[in-house]
Amino acid sequence: MLRNKRILLVISGGIAAYKSLELIRLLRERGASVRCVMTEAACEFVTPLSVSALSEDKAYCDLFSLTDESEMGHIRLSREADLLVVAPATANILAKMAGGTCDDLASTVLLATDKDVLAAPAMNVRMWTHPATTANVSRLRNHGVRFAGPTEGPMACGEFGEGRMAEPDQIVAEIERYFGRSGLLAGRQAIVTSGPTHEAIDPVRYIANRSSGKQGHAIAAAISQCGADTLLVTGPSLEPDPAGVKVVHIESAREMHDACVAHLPVDVAVCAAAVADWRPAHDQPQKIKKTSGNPLSQLELTENPDILAAIAGAGEKRPKLVIGFAAETEDIVAHATEKLARKGCDWMLANDVSCGTDTFGGDFNEIHLVSKNGVENWPAMSKSGVADQLASRICNALSPGQDAAE
Ligand code: CTP
């Protein structure tokens, strides 16, 4: 399963470092090559000699080693890998990764890489639940870092709680899951829309909505992680650009429409943007003054193009799979079914915004997948969970021999 995969294992300084030796062994047993970078603190817990013997490679420890840099510079080290794994990932290295600090070889390699990173945190329960660590982990997730564990249990320090490093076989399972999915959309092209749109009333005012872009950005990241060449067309959002995804930033619905249509044909399109349905009918090059007789009390609006319908109706350029979202407060499935037909798409992900779920800007979503085959109810889950689930469904639908819309 991991044959010919190149893992760069970053070992930072925690007591769980002894488990990294087993991790190296398990990875090599599955056919992966493992190259190890150790922090200075890691060398206090396990020796470079053991790491080197198990990986059958040099253990890289020093950023300023003349011989290491001439044989294998830190940039090459970070690029000549298919995945970077940080195990154990201490609170300190997570803080450095979140802040972009690079003051040793391990943190420099992590900042310099263009590959995905999987971290297996290991620390005392208080350190894990400290707001600083929580914020760092959330920031790293936004940067696309994946996590294995931590788990709950007795700790080396005598306390009990969450913060134990996942067992080596669990980390291996996570790595296998990563690679198992990673090639499934290779060679495929995808468009994802995300965020709100801003419709200018004049140069300083606009019409907008509360969409945060979290769901659309997570979907773009998940599809890209499956290997698809992914374009994210997003309205103004505070979400960072997902790693590995091409991003076009737009403001208005018309700009979003033009960017999407110009990028067709693709294999799959997911329209997760909360597009403003209406825009002011007339362009206003100058700020509208209050003294000009309160003209905004009669703002004339005109309908925006429907991007989802345009993509679904693109004839020869229509993607094999066109997916929309429907935020509904009542008769969720009935409204989503009507929208599915009206917009001509294949799947409609209806989200229930009736029961006080803080969907706009929140982290959770409850989805009903409506297609011509009926309705599938997904349990409430995080927006990244929804993105992963949707990406897996897209992988299945686009696999050879499948009718994409089934
Ligand atoms: N959509 C779009 N372009 C628009 C309006 C909506 O691409 N101009 C897409 C959204 O990205 C979403 C789907 O259409 O995938 C449904 O959006 P929604 O706002 O729920 O539907 P509307 O057609 O606007 O219907 P209504 O607001 O009346 O519920």
Side-chain angles (χ1 to χ4, degrees):
M1 184 73 175
L2 294 177
R3 198 164 307 285
N4 301 327
K5 298 295 181 216
R6 297 165 307 170
I7 309 288
L8 186 75
L9 176 63
V10 176
I11 306 175
S12 67
I15 182 65
Y18 78 92
K19 292 188 189 173
S20 311
L21 300 178
E22 176 68 356
L23 179 60
I24 299 171
R25 200 186 62 74
L26 292 177
L27 289 170
R28 298 215 52 222
E29 210 173 69
R30 283 161 177 73
S33 68
V34 186
R35 179 165 276 159
C36 298
V37 172
M38 301 174 70
T39 64
E40 202 183 331
C43 299
E44 298 289 330
F45 289 96
V46 287
T47 68
L49 187 61
S50 316
V51 167
S52 170
L54 283 163
S55 64
E56 288 189 69
D57 197 350
K58 194 177 154 46
Y60 292 83
C61 306
D62 189 359
L63 179 60
F64 300 110
S65 156
L66 198 56
T67 40
D68 285 5
E69 272 299 301
S70 57
E71 286 167 13
M72 167 70 72
H74 61 275
I75 301 289
R76 243 181 84 198
L77 205 53
S78 69
R79 303 285 164 83
E80 287 189 2
D82 299 307
L83 177 70
L84 271 65
V85 177
V86 191
T90 59
N92 185 47
I93 203 157
L94 291 176
K96 283 197 203 177
M97 287 163 71
T101 302
C102 46
D103 58 359
D104 61 2
L105 183 61
S107 50
T108 305
V109 156
L110 284 160
L111 192 66
T113 193
D114 57 354
K115 299 299 178 344
D116 285 331
V117 177
L118 173 75
M123 66 198 76
N124 167 272
V125 57
R126 301 263 167 251
M127 294 167 83
W128 174 248
T129 53
H130 194 285
T133 305
T134 307
N136 288 334
V137 168
S138 136
R139 198 162 180 190
L140 288 168
R141 281 193 200 279
N142 281 338
H143 294 174
V145 172
R146 299 160 158 270
F147 286 86
T151 60
E152 197 180 83
M155 309 193 142
C157 56
E159 289 187 38
F160 183 95
E162 201 180 3
R164 277 168 60 98
M165 186 169 95
E167 293 304 321
D169 59 341
Q170 293 173 315
I171 301 174
V172 168
E174 203 56 49
I175 295 171
E176 285 181 332
R177 208 168 74 87
Y178 171 82
F179 284 115
R181 227 181 53 170
S182 73
L184 289 176
L185 292 179
R188 301 289 194 176
Q189 310 262 331
I191 296 178
V192 179
T193 70
S194 184
T197 62
H198 286 185
E199 308 298 329
I201 296 171
D202 66 17
V204 292
R205 305 179 181 95
Y206 56 83
I207 300 172
N209 60 62
R210 293 181 192 279
S211 168
S212 65
K214 279 186 184 169
Q215 185 62 85
H217 280 57
I219 290 169
I223 292 178
S224 157
Q225 279 161 15
C226 296
D229 187 354
T230 307
L231 177 76
L232 173 66
V233 183
T234 178
S237 159
L238 294 175
E239 290 295 299
D241 290 353
V245 172
K246 274 179 269 157
V247 185
V248 172
H249 294 271
I250 54 81
E251 292 235 330
S252 68
R254 282 179 294 175
E255 287 166 357
M256 183 174 274
H257 171 272
D258 293 351
C260 289
V261 169
H263 199 66
L264 294 177
V266 294
D267 297 285
V268 54
V270 183
C271 291
V275 183
D277 293 318
W278 306 89
R279 68 174 185 275
H282 307 291
D283 290 340
Q284 292 287 351
Q286 307 299 336
K287 183 180 172 194
I288 301 167
K289 304 298 284 179
K290 272 190 293 189
T291 47
S292 60
N294 194 15
L296 286 187
S297 64
Q298 294 165 6
L299 188 62
E300 197 188 326
L301 299 175
T302 187
E303 205 170 329
N304 267 327
D306 191 310
I307 298 154
L308 176 59
I311 293 175
E316 282 181 358
K317 291 188 175 178
R318 185 193 194 277
K320 293 176 194 68
L321 195 53
V322 181
I323 303 167
F325 270 78
E328 308 291 348
T329 54
E330 54 170 357
D331 295 336
I332 296 149
V333 170
H335 282 308
T337 309
E338 179 276 319
K339 259 177 211 174
L340 181 85
R342 175 160 49 90
K343 303 200 180 213
C345 56
D346 302 304
W347 299 349
M348 194 50 100
L349 271 65
N351 46 339
D352 182 353
V353 292
S354 62
C355 47
T357 41
D358 180 17
T359 301
F360 284 106
D363 288 321
F364 289 86
N365 236 343
E366 193 173 335
I367 295 289
H368 308 269
L369 191 157
V370 180
S371 71
K372 66 179 180 194
N373 291 332
V375 185
E376 205 180 284
N377 299 314
W378 295 0
M381 60 180 102
S382 68
K383 288 184 176 174
S384 63
V386 169
D388 278 344
Q389 178 110 341
L390 181 62
S392 298
R393 295 297 308 263
I394 293 171
C395 290
N396 290 343
L398 294 182
S399 62
Q402 283 288 322
D403 173 358
E406 285 293 322

